[in-house]
Amino acid sequence: MSRLSGTRIATLGLLAAALVGLWQSLRLDSWGFDGPGPGFFPTLVAGVCVVLAVIVFFSPGRAGVTEEGDTDDVPKDPSAGTGNTFAIYVASFAVLALGTAFAGFFVTIVAVTVLIMRFAERRSWVAAVGYGVACAAIGLVCFGWLLRVDLPEGPIERAFYTLVR
């Protein structure tokens, strides 16, 4: 029998937690006469987690090599710095809190995503802005329009709601 890597062991733990979550969420009503029920979102999230855990278990990726020469489950990126990453994530929480109060959902999500992806994760500007806009648009459509969640409103949200409601 082959040795289980750290990634596969952690994935088994996450798979077990996701299966318990799925089992419990299936006991709730997923849909009612007036729309999504209390079990809709937990069932959806738990199902996605189960699928992703199975994918990661069977295809965990390649092991990287650390500076000491030992194999590690996470490859080391030599260009990535470690100095300010934590501070950038902390700053993103401040932007999230202040942005929802003043700028609305869409602008805040784009700003937080760009801040994290560009400066903490060191992705390109195009990737960071593209991913930020995609996340904000998906969140606005899925939560604000389809599920009718009260999201923080700014001019973009008000214009969007006048088009779809």
Side-chain angles (χ1 to χ4, degrees):
M1 181 177 162
S2 67
R3 184 176 83 82
L4 287 176
S5 68
T7 301
R8 285 196 167 126
I9 291 170
T11 302
L12 284 176
L14 293 173
L15 177 62
L19 286 171
V20 168
L22 184 62
W23 169 56
Q24 290 297 313
S25 67
L26 285 173
R27 298 169 72 191
L28 300 170
D29 291 333
S30 292
W31 204 267
F33 179 70
D34 57 346
F40 176 75
F41 190 69
T43 302
L44 180 68
V45 170
V48 168
C49 289
V50 167
V51 169
L52 291 176
V54 169
I55 290 170
V56 171
F57 182 78
F58 288 110
S59 179
R62 296 181 301 137
V65 178
T66 63
E67 293 173 358
E68 294 82 27
D70 298 330
T71 59
D72 188 9
D73 288 335
V74 180
K76 179 138 177 89
D77 182 6
S79 66
T82 58
N84 294 329
T85 303
F86 181 73
I88 293 168
Y89 277 96
V90 170
S92 69
F93 284 121
V95 170
L96 184 64
L98 293 172
T100 55
F102 299 108
F105 176 80
F106 194 91
V107 172
T108 302
I109 296 304
V110 171
V112 168
T113 305
V114 168
L115 181 65
I116 290 172
M117 288 192 65
R118 177 67 186 135
F119 299 107
E121 301 299 326
R122 296 182 180 36
R123 303 287 188 236
S124 70
W125 279 103
V126 172
V129 171
Y131 191 74
V133 169
C135 286
I138 290 169
L140 189 59
V141 169
C142 291
F143 290 103
W145 179 41
L146 296 175
L147 295 176
R148 302 212 184 263
V149 173
D150 289 328
L151 298 174
E153 285 192 18
I156 295 174
E157 291 78 17
R158 285 191 286 277
F160 176 73
Y161 292 147
T162 59
L163 292 174
V164 297
R165 287 188 179 167

